[in-house]
């Protein structure tokens, strides 16, 4: 048992003050579904825990542009079932329902979901070297059990993948993360929140000490209502994705007029497949085109004997999902 100080924040500004000042490691406590596991396992030791779970940040509201704002303390289950989210951003609802159990979704928060840490087996095993857990000790997964290792953006220091289902959907949308820090509020594009491991795999995000996520804003495109989330996993429930796909597609006169594609289980950060999107936009909405697009996206992939199967999975699931959407789009236009 490692002793730490528990503090209860009275407001957002009070939380930021408590989180960003003083010596030692400080953690915010919201749903606790990830943090508490790490404290029990010894993966993380903190000097202070600042409880923000009771702050008034749980609302789901409509934005003036037709988007939706999700309070950082909103529970995953509430957001997944909310009429505004289900109607305008079904991709988000589907991704959230694909993750964890109902009990965990009832506890977990939107803000906490964005800050999940990897489920790499070596990160959670304190008897093995891990640069993410203890910088400079080495990465056991590079030469070890590599079934879940990243395909894209990995470094010699870390080959872990981001575990969130929700974040894959957010990567495919126009998403803004609202953050309160020592210098006041600021807004981040979702794709700027997470970082690749590089030389510092211990840093998952670009947030500074004391920064508190207060909301996540979902915006267009308009065709985001026409979307699919597909998750491949080793068992039907309560498992993290081997790979996952979040896709939105718009087809006009047989040509791709709009496309968004997010991939999960492939990188240290939720992956936006921009190269595939660029190749598809304006081209034919055919299975052959979808296959060529994912092949191009995977050209930089680095595989080992344990994770090469992920390439095969993506080659099959991405064209299949896009073909489903193209067929539904064509049918809806008749």
């Amino acid at each position: 048992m490692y002793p730490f100080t528990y503090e209860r924040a009275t407001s957002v500004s009070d939380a930021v003050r408590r989180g960003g000042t003083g010596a030692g490691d400080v953690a915010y406590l919201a749903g606790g579904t990830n943090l508490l596991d790490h404290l029990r396992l010894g993966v993380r030791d903190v000097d202070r825990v600042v409880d923000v779970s009771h702050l008034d940040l749980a609302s789901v509201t409509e934005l003036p542009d037709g988007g939706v704002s999700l309070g950082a303390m909103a529970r995953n289950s509430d957001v997944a079932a909310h009429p505004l989210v289900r109607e305008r951003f079904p991709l988000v609802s589907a991704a959230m329902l694909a993750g964890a159990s109902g009990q965990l979704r009832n506890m977990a928060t939107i803000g906490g979901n964005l800050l999940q840490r990897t489920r790499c087996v070596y990160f959670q095993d304190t008897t093995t070297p891990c640069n993410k857990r203890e910088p400079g000790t080495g990465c056991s997964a590079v030469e070890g059990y590599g079934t879940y290792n990243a395909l894209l953006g990995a470094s010699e220091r870390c080959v872990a993948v981001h575990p969130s289902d929700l974040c894959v959907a957010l990567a495919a949308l126009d998403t803004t993360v609202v953050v309160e820090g020592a210098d006041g509020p600021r807004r981040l594009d979702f794709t700027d929140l997470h970082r690749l491991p590089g030389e510092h795999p211990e840093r998952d995000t670009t947030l500074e000490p004391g920064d508190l996520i207060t909301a996540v804003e979902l915006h267009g495109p308009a065709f985001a209502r026409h979307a699919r989330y597909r998750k491949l996993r080793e068992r039907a429930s309560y498992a993290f994705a081997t790979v996952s796909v979040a896709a939105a597609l718009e087809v006009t006169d047989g040509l791709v007029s709009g496309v968004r594609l997010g991939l999960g289980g492939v990188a240290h950060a939720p992956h936006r497949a921009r190269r595939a999107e660029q190749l598809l936009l304006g081209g034919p909405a055919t299975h052959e085109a979808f296959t060529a697009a994912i092949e191009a996206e995977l050209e930089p992939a680095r595989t080992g004997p344990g994770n090469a199967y992920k390439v095969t999975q993506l080659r099959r699931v991405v064209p299949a999902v896009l073909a489903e959407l193209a067929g539904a789009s064509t049918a809806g236009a008749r």
Side-chain angles (χ1 to χ4, degrees), residues 38 84 101 120 136 138 146 160 168 172 204 239 283 298:
H38 289 167
L84 274 176
S101 64
C120 175
V168 181
D204 294 337
L298 292 173

Side-chain angles (χ1 to χ4, degrees), residues 5 8 21 74 79 110 114 116 121 147 158-159 167 174 193 210 218 223 226 238 252 254 275 277 301 317:
T5 301
R8 186 176 172 90
T21 60
V79 172
I110 292 296
L114 271 58
Q116 284 189 76
V121 293
T147 299
C158 184
V159 291
C167 287
D174 294 333
L193 175 63
L218 309 176
F223 62 88
H226 190 54
Y238 314 153
T252 304
R275 189 173 187 181
E277 291 176 356
V317 70

Side-chain angles (χ1 to χ4, degrees), residues 185-205:
R186 69 182 188 278
R187 304 164 72 81
L188 296 175
D189 186 283
F190 179 77
T191 56
D192 294 328
L193 175 63
H194 299 95
R195 59 183 300 280
L196 296 179
E199 296 295 310
H200 295 283
E202 71 276 10
R203 293 190 60 194
D204 294 337
T205 72

Side-chain angles (χ1 to χ4, degrees), residues 20-34:
T21 60
D25 189 10
V26 182
Y28 288 128
L29 174 66
T33 57
N34 198 202

Side-chain angles (χ1 to χ4, degrees), residues 74-97:
R75 303 293 173 174
N76 287 6
S77 55
D78 293 336
V79 172
H82 199 284
L84 274 176
V85 178
R86 294 180 64 184
E87 176 192 358
R88 300 183 186 182
F89 300 98
L91 195 59
V92 170
S93 181
M96 297 183 78
L97 291 174

